Amino acid sequence: MRRAMQVPAYRRVADQLRQRIAAGEFPAGRRLPSRSELSRQYGVGSNVAAAAVRLLTAEGVVRGRPGQGVYVREQPSAGTMARSWTRERLLGTLAVSGGADEDEGRTVRSTPVSTTEPAGPAIAARLGLDPGQQVVRSLYRLSRNDLPAMLCVSWEPLGITGGTPVTLPGAGPMAGESVVARMGYIGIRVTHSTETVTARACTRDEAAALDLAPGAPVAAIERTYYADRLALETADLVVPGERFRLAYEIPADRTGPTR
C-alpha cells in the first residue's frame, strides 16, 4: 500500500496563513506576526516559519519592508487599459475600465528623469537614426489609484526637439504633457503609432518600481510615435499583468487618428 506524501511543514503554515489572509484576519496593509510569533503559534521552528513567509512572498501575497516586517499586499482586481487613440492617451493619461475603482480613476505621472546620450544600435534603428546620434532618454512612472500602473523609458531624437521649448518632457511650458501634445506645440502632428507587445516575467528593478512580486508577469510594450514616416519618439513600457489587460481598437478606415 502506497503511503500518501506528507506536506512539508512550511507549506502547511503558508496554507494556514493564506486562509487567514483570505478570511480578512490580516487585511491588506496589515503586518504579519514576526517569525518568532509564527513559530510559537504553529509549533514549528523559526526556519520553517521563515520558509512559509518566503513562499507567500514569492506568490505575491505578502511583501517585506526592510526594517519593518512583512505586510499583506493589496490584491487589486484587473482593469482594462485602452491602448487606442482615446482622449486620455492624447492627454498622456490612462484610460482604464473595470476593477474596483472604475469611477474614481486617477492617473499620476512622475516627473521624468531625462538625460542626453548617444543612441545605441537598437534605439537608433527604431528611430531611423545613425548609431551615436544624440537622443533624450527619459524615465518615468504612471500610477493609477495610488498603485503603479506603468513604467516607461522613452527616447526622442535631439535633432527634432533640440533648441525647442519641449526638449525635455518634464520641463518647459508642456511639462508632463503627452508626446502628441508636446509635438503639436512645436508644429509637428503625430499621425500614428506602432506597438509591439511581449509577455514576460518582470526584472528585479521592475518588480521594485511597480510593487510586484519577483518574477510576476508583465506586458512589455515597444511603442513608437510617427509623423508620417518620421519617428518622433520610441519607448519601452512595462505594465503589471496582475493589474491590467490591454485593449486595442483597430480603425476600419484609412484616415488615421484625429486630434
Side-chain angles (χ1 to χ4, degrees):
M1 184 174 179
R2 302 178 65 178
R3 297 177 58 185
M5 293 184 62
Q6 186 174 5
V7 177
Y10 78 95
R11 287 190 174 275
R12 292 201 304 272
V13 174
D15 289 343
Q16 292 182 48
L17 284 172
R18 200 181 295 107
Q19 293 171 12
R20 294 170 70 182
I21 291 170
E25 182 178 347
F26 298 118
R30 175 71 63 83
R31 181 180 179 274
L32 285 187
S34 67
R35 183 169 60 179
S36 60
E37 291 170 335
L38 290 175
S39 298
R40 287 194 296 270
Q41 288 181 19
Y42 293 102
V44 297
S46 60
N47 289 339
V48 171
V53 172
R54 284 198 299 271
L55 177 59
L56 295 180
T57 301
E59 293 174 348
V61 178
V62 300
R63 181 186 182 189
R65 297 177 183 172
Q68 300 181 44
V70 178
Y71 292 78
V72 178
R73 294 181 70 245
E74 184 76 30
Q75 299 298 313
S77 56
T80 299
M81 181 184 297
R83 300 299 304 157
S84 304
W85 287 86
T86 61
R87 178 177 180 274
E88 290 86 353
R89 183 170 177 185
L90 295 179
L91 294 175
T93 59
L94 300 176
V96 179
S97 63
D101 301 313
E102 178 177 355
D103 297 327
E104 301 179 4
R106 182 172 65 94
T107 299
V108 175
R109 179 196 293 260
S110 67
T111 301
V113 177
S114 300
T115 56
T116 301
E117 64 184 30
I123 297 303
R126 286 161 60 172
L127 291 171
L129 304 175
D130 293 327
Q133 287 189 257
Q134 293 294 300
V135 294
V136 175
R137 179 185 185 274
S138 301
L139 171 66
Y140 60 92
R141 188 182 73 170
L142 274 72
S143 297
R144 177 82 174 180
N145 298 323
D146 299 322
L147 283 175
M150 180 186 293
L151 189 64
C152 177
V153 183
S154 68
W155 296 266
E156 296 178 355
L158 198 59
I160 293 176
T161 61
T164 74
V166 301
T167 301
L168 300 178
M174 299 298 286
E177 298 290 340
S178 68
V179 174
V180 174
R182 290 175 51 248
M183 293 299 169
Y185 188 81
I186 58 175
I188 300 176
R189 178 177 177 268
V190 175
T191 57
H192 67 286
S193 66
T194 62
E195 293 193 352
T196 302
V197 184
T198 302
R200 60 170 173 80
C202 65
T203 66
R204 180 177 298 181
D205 289 343
E206 290 166 351
L210 295 172
D211 190 20
L212 298 174
V218 295
I221 306 172
E222 181 183 300
R223 179 195 71 196
T224 305
Y225 279 109
Y226 294 89
D228 295 323
R229 295 185 179 182
L230 177 65
L232 304 172
E233 183 249 30
T234 193
D236 289 334
L237 317 175
V238 181
V239 178
E242 68 182 36
R243 294 181 193 138
F244 301 102
R245 56 184 180 178
L246 306 178
Y248 289 83
E249 178 181 329
I250 311 299
D253 59 41
R254 297 176 179 270
T255 59
T258 58
R259 293 183 61 188

